[in-house]
Amino acid sequence: MTSQYFNRHLSVGHYTVCVQASRIDDVELAEQGVVGDSDLDAGIIRVRSDLTRQRQREVVLHELLHHVVHMTHLEARWDEDEQEEVIRALSPWLAQLVTINNYEW
C-alpha cells in the first residue's frame, strides 16, 4: 500500500481539528507503537499514512472522540483510563455509521 500524506481540517461546531499524516508523523507514531494520536490543546490529530482509508477513518473517529470528551464536562468526570475505555467501546460502532464529511482522502 502506498502512503498518503495529507493535512485536512474538520469542524466540530465551533471547534476545528487539524488531521494530518506525514512521513515524520509515521516515524514518530511507529516509534510509540500507535496508529494515531491527538494533541487536545493544539487541536491536532495525527494518523499513520500507511493504513487503509477505512482504518484511517476509524482512527480519526477514535481520536476525534477524545477531542469531543475534552470539550465536555466528561473530561472532569472520567479519568484517562475511563475515557479510553468508553472511546474504544464506542468508536468501532460509530465508525460503521458515520461518514466524516468534508474530509477528502
Side-chain angles (χ1 to χ4, degrees), residues 22-36:
S22 70
R23 184 170 297 154
I24 293 170
D25 294 330
D26 287 349
V27 171
E28 290 176 358
L29 293 169
E31 287 174 352
Q32 295 171 23
V34 297
V35 293

Side-chain angles (χ1 to χ4, degrees), residues 6 8 13-14 18 24 32 35 54 58 77-79 104:
F6 54 84
R8 304 279 192 264
H14 68 282
C18 176
I24 293 170
Q32 295 171 23
V35 293
Q54 180 59 35
E58 291 169 5
R77 296 186 63 149
W78 294 339
D79 65 29
E104 296 297 323

Side-chain angles (χ1 to χ4, degrees), residues 77-100:
R77 296 186 63 149
W78 294 339
D79 65 29
E80 284 186 37
D81 290 337
E82 290 170 322
Q83 289 179 34
E84 190 63 32
E85 181 178 352
V86 169
I87 290 169
R88 280 188 180 174
L90 294 177
S91 59
W93 294 99
L94 291 172
Q96 294 178 46
L97 299 172
V98 175
T99 299
I100 299 173

Side-chain angles (χ1 to χ4, degrees), residues 60-74:
V60 168
L61 180 60
H62 175 100
E63 296 302 332
L64 191 57
L65 286 171
H66 281 290
H67 287 264
V68 170
V69 168
H70 180 68
M71 292 186 291
T72 68
H73 71 285
L74 296 173

